[in-house]
Amino acid sequence: MNKQFIYTILFFTYLLLSCNHTSSFTEDDIPILTIDIHKKQPVQLSSLLEDISYTLLDNSLDEYLIGEVDFMKVAGDKLYTSTLNRLLVYDINTGQVIYQLNNYGEAPGQYLSITDLIVEPEAGGFELLDKKIK
């Protein structure tokens, strides 16, 4: 028999067997929080979360000021913030800016809109998704 045919059969067998995995995770494991939006009652964050901490972000320079935030992501000890077509990366422990990316434009290596961010901690970097550049 052809080796490629055998590898194909083995591959599809593996796929079929791996799709049978049943998770031990059930809906009972998910805490459900019901909030009546018609009642204007203050809610303590401590009643919703087990641990709350905050970090004062560096705003020592005007270029570090944050306006409208498109998204924020935490990965490891870094906070990634997309705002006004730029990306600010903060040290989550100190609040200091580690890195600023402000390459707005249409040239190679530039972007028109930061749509999302993929953090790659093993490589020590990240990738930006720009839907407007094809």
Side-chain angles (χ1 to χ4, degrees):
M1 256 192 217
N2 186 352
K3 281 186 179 181
Q4 184 177 6
F5 178 74
I6 292 172
Y7 289 136
T8 304
I9 295 295
L10 289 173
F11 175 74
F12 282 110
T13 304
Y14 172 76
L15 280 179
L16 289 172
L17 292 175
S18 64
C19 290
N20 259 347
H21 176 70
T22 58
S23 175
S24 60
F25 184 77
T26 65
E27 287 185 19
D28 296 334
D29 296 331
I30 302 172
I32 297 175
L33 175 65
T34 305
I35 299 176
D36 186 354
I37 60 173
H38 301 291
K39 289 183 181 177
K40 294 188 177 183
Q41 283 182 294
V43 176
Q44 296 289 330
L45 266 171
S46 59
S47 69
L48 305 175
L49 305 171
E50 290 179 15
D51 184 31
I52 299 173
S53 63
Y54 68 92
T55 301
L56 183 62
L57 299 179
D58 182 8
N59 65 355
S60 60
L61 300 175
D62 285 345
E63 63 193 50
Y64 295 160
L65 294 177
I66 298 176
E68 181 179 328
V69 175
D70 297 318
F71 65 83
M72 295 177 111
K73 288 191 177 184
V74 175
D77 61 348
K78 294 181 180 72
L79 170 69
Y80 298 83
T81 305
S82 173
T83 176
L84 299 172
N85 293 318
R86 66 192 172 124
L87 182 75
L88 292 170
V89 182
Y90 294 91
D91 180 307
I92 203 160
N93 299 309
T94 65
Q96 297 298 310
V97 174
I98 300 170
Y99 184 76
Q100 177 178 199
L101 181 64
N102 195 3
N103 290 340
Y104 181 77
E106 294 186 36
Q110 295 182 325
Y111 53 83
L112 290 174
S113 171
I114 301 174
T115 307
D116 201 357
L117 171 81
I118 299 171
V119 180
E120 298 175 345
E122 300 84 26
F126 55 86
E127 293 182 35
L128 295 178
L129 174 63
D130 180 2
K131 281 184 156 179
K132 293 187 179 180
I133 291 184
K134 302 200 186 238

